[in-house]
Amino acid sequence: MNAPTLEEIREAAKRIAPYVYRTPVLTCASIDARCEAEVYFKCENFQRTGSFKMRGASNAVLSLEEEVAIRGVATHSSGNHGAALARAAGIRGVPAYVVMPKNAPSVKREAVRHYGARIILCDPTLEAREETLAKVVRETGASFVHPYNDQRVICGQGTAALELLMEVEGELDVVMAPVGGGGLVSGTAAAVAHSSPRTRVIGAEPANADDAYRSLKVGRILPAGNPRTVADGLRTSLGSLTFPILCRWVERIVTVEEEAIVQAMRWIWERMKIVVEPSAAVPLAALLTRREEIPGRRIGIILSGGNVDLDRLPWIP
Amino acid sequence: MNAPTLEEIREAAKRIAPYVYRTPVLTCASIDARCEAEVYFKCENFQRTGSFKMRGASNAVLSLEEEVAIRGVATHSSGNHGAALARAAGIRGVPAYVVMPKNAPSVKREAVRHYGARIILCDPTLEAREETLAKVVRETGASFVHPYNDQRVICGQGTAALELLMEVEGELDVVMAPVGGGGLVSGTAAAVAHSSPRTRVIGAEPANADDAYRSLKVGRILPAGNPRTVADGLRTSLGSLTFPILCRWVERIVTVEEEAIVQAMRWIWERMKIVVEPSAAVPLAALLTRREEIPGRRIGIILSGGNVDLDRLPWIP
């Protein structure tokens, strides 16, 4: 196992500092009252490109040697990582290639294009996606930046928790993050383990996409399958790099029902007056519905992103 | 004319400081690029009770002599002022009476009730409302706090601009606020006139509720009638106290179409990831569609509030 060291995460923070926002930490009196807790929200929904993914993507792009970087970067995420990688490549002035399935929503395609990536469409199957990506890499010499199973990406994602711990006065009892492929939660867990060892890290996952919960139970990576959840950022399986870090430093995974996710998302919009995507609301959903599994009063939550199709809100039929 | 002095506004700021948030000033790179300006948003959507109204209401309630306060306060606003007055009365520990039409949306009734006010329903006519309010005041001895035509309220609203001017480094060319009854824009204009005299104050109003625009043209208060606009906070007419302040210190009123208001509101949600109500988006709508009427590059905007019925968004049919 090659778990990120504190030095690696700090170096990432230094490397990306000129290109990412130091996002605010917000609190909300009515959410605190409802949760019987002090909840500190690290607002990565305000991050550049609308999610924490900008941290990992820019750390990866900025870590490349010049002669490698110049050939560009490539990935196959159609979501927040695709947009973030495109933006990070743009900052470095190198091309980004994003492989997307033909049936990806046009709003996602537009976002990736908006940040300047070249989009390569493929059939909507795993094989087509991997074949197309391999072909792009072969033809262009671009470096593949995996959405989460990449040490540089994990270290970049860990910088959000580092800032959260610095921002909040006194020790936190718990830090929570949503779990998809595990990039955010593993970076968070590493940062917390090194710099606030008594703080527990708890992951939150949709019950409908509980592969990380099950994987931790059985001790090996179980595939996510093709889960149906409103939290569209959390449908992926863990990776060979993220899984061991979860095993070591994530105390537990709490799962939540779809209705609770939508309810928590709406609470954040209504009470905090900020826009978050469903995936970002999963930790608060866990806190609201499974309070007994989350010990302590002082709780940090990474609000992972705010990219929502405003024409389709999950509480409007 | 009894325009607020700088001392009055500063006293209000001091009086309400323990009970209101010092809301953040946010900027947004993509909105700046689109407007060819540096726009500083004073986020009163994050204010207690979700709007700037908390400033004026708490200044009014806290200004009362103890033997008067104890009998409570009353008003007839079913919107943000009603909720703010209820909250302010709760802070002082005195009763609040809010007269509301029988047909007011239940979501508004719930908000006012949530903050602890006693609701008195009346028929949905102007006469019924005034009669009912007069009766409540007669029977309880409560003090009437008008939503905007009240010196203490105007001074309270002016504190938002005072904070904005302190927060932004260097001089602003323009400060913009939405115009309904004129409480916010007159308080803003007074604060700006006293503390940054070279900064112009420009009001923004829906074209469908352009009574302030027309009133300034003809030099007397014209009634708003019963305007149809998505900006539900801006349907009221100017008052005898607010109108003269507008005449003296508001450089102009810019009017905008409904579509532009919805578009600007959506921009703020999408780009800034914050929730604002339609009324709050009116100044940005003016900046986006009538740029030539708003001189200068450095522009402050008071985002007046964030109370939206999330089940009914104006861009969703």
Side-chain angles (χ1 to χ4, degrees):
Chain A
M1 170 168 141
N2 193 13
T5 64
L6 187 56
E7 277 59 50
E8 281 178 287
I9 302 173
R10 283 194 178 144
E11 271 165 33
K14 210 167 140 188
R15 189 178 290 122
I16 68 178
Y19 311 105
V20 302
Y21 294 131
R22 193 181 169 108
T23 54
V25 175
L26 299 184
T27 60
C28 175
S30 64
I31 288 180
D32 280 1
R34 175 73 176 68
C35 298
E36 297 180 343
E38 291 165 40
V39 189
Y40 298 88
F41 293 94
K42 175 67 172 168
C43 291
E44 290 296 297
N45 57 323
F46 294 154
Q47 188 51 266
R48 270 184 207 274
T49 72
S51 87
F52 73 94
K53 295 278 189 181
M54 185 60 186
R55 296 178 180 267
S58 49
N59 190 46
V61 171
L62 296 167
S63 296
L64 295 171
E65 299 290 335
E66 185 55 25
E67 63 272 23
V68 177
I70 209 161
R71 295 196 297 270
V73 287
T75 198
H76 51 54
S77 153
S78 57
N80 287 335
H81 175 68
L85 191 69
R87 185 78 179 85
I91 286 168
R92 183 133 189 202
V94 303
Y97 308 93
V98 177
V99 174
M100 293 177 80
K102 279 176 189 161
N103 60 355
S106 68
V107 55
K108 292 200 173 186
R109 230 192 269 185
E110 279 318 305
V112 171
R113 202 194 313 277
H114 168 78
Y115 291 113
R118 300 188 206 168
I119 295 173
I120 301 97
L121 295 176
C122 68
D123 286 330
T125 67
L126 189 63
E127 287 118 37
R129 194 180 77 171
E130 293 189 344
E131 264 172 36
T132 311
L133 180 69
K135 187 157 167 275
V136 167
V137 166
R138 213 162 46 232
E139 287 176 359
T140 62
S143 303
F144 173 41
V145 179
H146 192 280
Y148 51 88
N149 209 41
D150 179 307
Q151 184 78 357
R152 304 157 301 181
V153 170
I154 294 169
C155 290
Q157 318 305 31
T159 61
L162 220 53
E163 289 176 12
L164 170 65
L165 293 170
M166 277 188 278
E167 199 87 3
V168 177
E169 264 181 64
E171 203 174 57
L172 288 173
D173 296 315
V174 175
V175 172
M176 301 180 73
V179 185
L184 178 62
V185 80
S186 63
T188 300
V192 171
H194 294 312
S195 56
S196 182
R198 284 189 302 187
T199 302
R200 301 158 193 222
V201 174
I202 294 179
E205 200 174 44
N208 283 3
D210 66 345
D211 58 292
Y213 174 81
R214 289 182 292 110
S215 300
L216 282 189
K217 283 268 183 226
V218 302
R220 65 192 162 84
I221 302 175
L222 297 175
N226 197 3
R228 294 173 65 105
T229 171
V230 66
D232 56 348
L234 309 181
R235 291 175 189 151
T236 39
S237 313
L238 295 174
S240 58
L241 289 180
T242 56
F243 176 65
I245 305 175
L246 265 76
C247 290
R248 177 155 168 197
W249 282 322
V250 172
E251 179 165 297
R252 64 163 70 199
I253 309 271
V254 178
T255 62
V256 287
E257 302 300 326
E258 294 297 296
E259 206 185 323
I261 298 170
V262 174
Q263 187 57 41
M265 176 180 169
R266 191 175 171 147
W267 258 67
I268 294 170
W269 289 43
E270 243 169 32
R271 303 298 165 120
M272 299 181 70
K273 310 293 182 192
I274 63 176
V275 172
V276 296
E277 57 193 64
S279 304
V282 172
L284 180 63
L287 190 53
L288 286 168
T289 59
R290 314 275 297 260
R291 184 67 180 91
E292 75 288 355
E293 295 176 54
I294 296 146
R297 262 194 73 83
R298 291 167 56 79
I299 296 164
I301 286 181
I302 317 269
L303 285 179
S304 49
N307 292 327
V308 182
D309 180 352
L310 290 175
D311 286 320
R312 298 167 56 117
L313 297 182
W315 53 77
I316 298 181
Chain B
M1 169 166 140
N2 192 14
T5 64
L6 187 56
E7 277 60 50
E8 280 179 288
I9 302 173
R10 285 195 178 143
E11 271 166 33
K14 211 168 140 187
R15 189 176 292 123
I16 68 178
Y19 311 105
V20 302
Y21 294 131
R22 191 179 170 110
T23 54
V25 175
L26 298 183
T27 60
C28 175
S30 65
I31 288 179
D32 281 1
R34 175 72 175 69
C35 297
E36 298 180 342
E38 292 166 41
V39 189
Y40 298 89
F41 294 94
K42 175 68 170 166
C43 292
E44 290 295 298
N45 56 324
F46 295 154
Q47 188 51 265
R48 269 184 209 275
T49 72
S51 87
F52 74 94
K53 293 279 189 182
M54 185 60 187
R55 295 176 181 270
S58 50
N59 190 46
V61 171
L62 296 167
S63 296
L64 296 172
E65 299 291 333
E66 185 55 27
E67 64 272 22
V68 177
I70 209 162
R71 294 196 298 268
V73 288
T75 197
H76 51 55
S77 153
S78 57
N80 287 335
H81 175 68
L85 191 69
R87 185 79 178 85
I91 286 168
R92 183 135 189 199
V94 303
Y97 307 93
V98 177
V99 173
M100 292 178 80
K102 278 176 189 160
N103 60 355
S106 69
V107 56
K108 291 200 173 183
R109 230 192 270 185
E110 279 317 305
V112 171
R113 200 193 314 275
H114 170 78
Y115 291 113
R118 301 188 207 169
I119 295 174
I120 300 97
L121 295 176
C122 68
D123 285 329
T125 67
L126 189 64
E127 286 118 37
R129 192 179 77 173
E130 294 189 343
E131 265 173 35
T132 310
L133 180 70
K135 187 156 167 276
V136 167
V137 166
R138 212 164 47 232
E139 287 177 0
T140 63
S143 303
F144 173 42
V145 179
H146 192 280
Y148 50 87
N149 209 42
D150 178 307
Q151 184 78 356
R152 304 158 301 179
V153 170
I154 294 169
C155 290
Q157 319 304 30
T159 62
L162 219 52
E163 289 177 10
L164 170 65
L165 294 170
M166 278 189 275
E167 197 88 3
V168 177
E169 266 180 62
E171 202 174 60
L172 288 173
D173 296 316
V174 175
V175 172
M176 300 180 73
V179 186
L184 178 62
V185 78
S186 63
T188 300
V192 171
H194 294 311
S195 55
S196 182
R198 283 189 303 185
T199 301
R200 302 160 192 220
V201 174
I202 294 180
E205 199 174 46
N208 283 2
D210 68 344
D211 58 292
Y213 173 81
R214 290 183 290 109
S215 298
L216 283 189
K217 283 269 182 226
V218 303
R220 65 190 163 85
I221 301 174
L222 298 175
N226 196 2
R228 294 173 65 105
T229 171
V230 66
D232 56 347
L234 309 182
R235 291 176 188 149
T236 39
S237 313
L238 295 174
S240 58
L241 288 181
T242 56
F243 177 65
I245 304 175
L246 265 75
C247 290
R248 176 155 168 198
W249 282 323
V250 172
E251 179 166 295
R252 63 162 71 199
I253 308 272
V254 178
T255 63
V256 287
E257 301 301 326
E258 294 296 297
E259 207 184 324
I261 297 170
V262 174
Q263 187 59 40
M265 175 179 168
R266 190 174 172 147
W267 258 67
I268 293 171
W269 289 43
E270 243 169 33
R271 304 297 167 120
M272 300 182 70
K273 311 293 182 193
I274 63 175
V275 172
V276 296
E277 57 193 61
S279 304
V282 172
L284 180 63
L287 190 53
L288 286 168
T289 59
R290 314 276 297 262
R291 185 68 179 92
E292 76 288 353
E293 294 175 55
I294 296 146
R297 261 193 74 83
R298 292 168 55 80
I299 296 164
I301 286 180
I302 317 268
L303 285 180
S304 49
N307 293 328
V308 182
D309 181 351
L310 290 175
D311 286 318
R312 299 168 56 118
L313 298 182
W315 53 77
I316 298 181

